[in-house]
Amino acid sequence: MNNAGFVMHFDLEYLDPNTGKFTECGPDSGNFPINQTGVVDLESSSVPVGASARPLVHADGGVNNPGDTLVQYAQNGQTATYEVQGTTLDYSVKLISG
């Protein structure tokens, strides 16, 4: 949910259990403006089932910020929702349901 003062897009990153580092992957949500929601289905991503994942938000004209909470990917039909608030250089990406 984009409740921030900028156009944004996001992709995904997951914690690679082999390296202990985050790996960025797609698909990308595409750009969407304030007061809109972007969705990415993890089944169409390269995130392995069981991996811990989060969105990586890209503010147009600003910085990139990851979600504050990791969620474990399972093929169970559930949705994790993150809310983005702030400005291009100072914003949060908080898990609000999931």
Side-chain angles (χ1 to χ4, degrees), residues 43-62:
E43 286 191 22
S44 65
S45 76
S46 59
V47 175
V49 173
S52 296
R54 63 186 178 187
L56 181 60
V57 175
H58 308 276
D60 284 3

Side-chain angles (χ1 to χ4, degrees), residues 38-79:
V39 177
V40 169
D41 186 346
L42 291 182
E43 286 191 22
S44 65
S45 76
S46 59
V47 175
V49 173
S52 296
R54 63 186 178 187
L56 181 60
V57 175
H58 308 276
D60 284 3
V63 298
N64 301 334
N65 280 344
D68 68 338
T69 305
L70 294 166
V71 295
Q72 188 173 17
Y73 173 39
Q75 294 175 317
N76 58 12
Q78 293 185 0
T79 301

